[in-house]
Amino acid sequence: MTETSAPPPTVGIVFRPQSPPEDLPSVAREAEAAGIAELWLWEDCFLEGGLTSATAALLSSERLKVGIGLLPVPLRNPALAAMELATIERLAPGRLVAGFGHGVLDWMGQVGARVASPLTLLREYVTAVRSLLDGDTADADGRYVKLDRVALGWPPASAPEIAIGATRPQTLRLAGELGDSVLLDSVNDAAAVRAARVIVDEGRAESGRPGRTRVRVFAEVDPRSDAPASRIADRIAELVDAGADAVAVQAPADAPDPRPLLDALPR
């Protein structure tokens, strides 16, 4: 019997919100031309909007997969989020990853959207959005999410991948239970990835869902450093060995332009 090797990791690049939004279409085109598989976006208060940015990147490319990391769930009604995501998925089928997270709690308080139990909200929210994107009629009477016979008029043919951003054990377990993938947005050393992989897998097993929840990691590499190509290759190998299925490389906040990293990324 021939042993089946694991699929190669997915490699992507991150367009940070410290870069001006008008640069995004050209970055998407350059990333696609360079053979990069994925382009990831942030939605941080009070910078670029994640849904509008994802639409711009998708419509500026033909094959590039675009991920939003992360949409803060307190900011949007889940029905509205599902409507927007369904529209984007129909415009660019199979190329969207919809990431959800608690949001930075101080920012959520700043806009009057902070909740007492972010984990409860995230569970209720992702459950409702997934149901709507699957074309179901959703009813919910939760602590935060309340829906009465809500159904999308234009559901996508297939729901986009849902990623959940997580760092702490409870949210990692929830990501394994409900998500198609987990985004380790600020946990990117090998030991932390290895520990997160265990918790995510436990959550998936407890849910009874078949398959595996993918682990995605953002890894920062300074393009101004010497030999960035070898640094990137070593970093990706280290994270994949620890259990990551996909790695997106980002430049630091004080030099956010991702284009200097494009030539250094493995294809």
Side-chain angles (χ1 to χ4, degrees), residues 2-25:
T2 302
E3 184 177 345
T4 302
S5 60
T10 302
V11 177
I13 199 162
V14 180
F15 183 89
R16 296 185 68 126
Q18 291 82 12
S19 292
E22 57 268 26
D23 287 356
L24 179 56

Side-chain angles (χ1 to χ4, degrees), residues 188 190 219-221 226-242 247 249 264-266:
N188 58 25
E220 187 168 300
V221 176
D226 294 334
S230 61
R231 287 173 182 260
I232 289 172
D234 291 345
R235 194 71 191 283
I236 291 173
E238 177 187 32
L239 295 171
V240 170
D241 184 64
V247 178
V249 179
L265 284 175

Side-chain angles (χ1 to χ4, degrees), residues 90-234:
R90 291 179 68 103
L91 290 170
R95 295 202 288 133
L96 174 68
V97 182
F100 295 100
H102 298 304
V104 177
L105 298 185
D106 287 346
W107 288 340
M108 298 303 100
Q110 199 174 349
V111 298
R114 185 166 181 167
V115 298
S117 179
L119 192 69
T120 300
L121 172 58
L122 188 59
R123 174 181 292 278
E124 293 179 358
Y125 195 103
V126 171
T127 300
V129 169
R130 184 182 289 282
S131 178
L132 291 167
L133 291 173
D134 284 340
D136 299 334
T137 298
D139 289 283
D141 188 21
R143 181 174 178 181
Y144 299 109
V145 174
K146 299 184 183 296
L147 300 174
D148 180 14
R149 296 167 295 167
V150 176
L152 297 178
W154 292 102
S158 181
E161 177 184 335
I162 290 180
I164 296 177
T167 54
R168 296 184 178 181
Q170 284 184 304
T171 312
L172 287 166
R173 194 174 300 276
L174 181 71
E177 179 185 344
L178 297 182
D180 300 311
S181 61
V182 59
L183 177 60
L184 306 182
D185 52 347
S186 59
V187 177
N188 58 25
D189 66 272
V193 171
R194 192 170 288 109
R197 172 84 267 173
V198 171
I199 298 171
V200 169
D201 287 347
E202 290 174 351
R204 184 74 178 220
E206 290 167 4
S207 74
R209 292 194 298 148
R212 168 183 164 103
T213 300
R214 302 182 74 208
V215 170
R216 296 177 168 279
V217 183
F218 282 1
E220 187 168 300
V221 176
D222 193 333
R224 298 165 295 187
S225 64
D226 294 334
S230 61
R231 287 173 182 260
I232 289 172
D234 291 345

Side-chain angles (χ1 to χ4, degrees), residues 17-91:
Q18 291 82 12
S19 292
E22 57 268 26
D23 287 356
L24 179 56
S26 63
V27 168
R29 289 190 291 269
E30 290 178 40
E32 181 165 84
I36 303 304
E38 296 182 343
L39 174 66
W40 278 82
L41 314 167
W42 292 19
E43 181 174 80
D44 264 6
C45 296
F46 301 94
L47 300 165
E48 288 107 341
L51 295 167
T52 47
S53 295
T55 304
L58 287 164
L59 295 183
S60 299
S61 58
E62 296 180 355
R63 299 174 304 279
L64 192 67
K65 180 169 279 191
V66 176
I68 309 172
L70 299 157
L71 297 169
V73 297
L75 286 182
R76 293 179 183 85
N77 183 282
L80 176 60
M83 289 164 55
E84 299 282 12
L85 292 169
T87 301
I88 298 171
E89 176 63 25
R90 291 179 68 103
L91 290 170

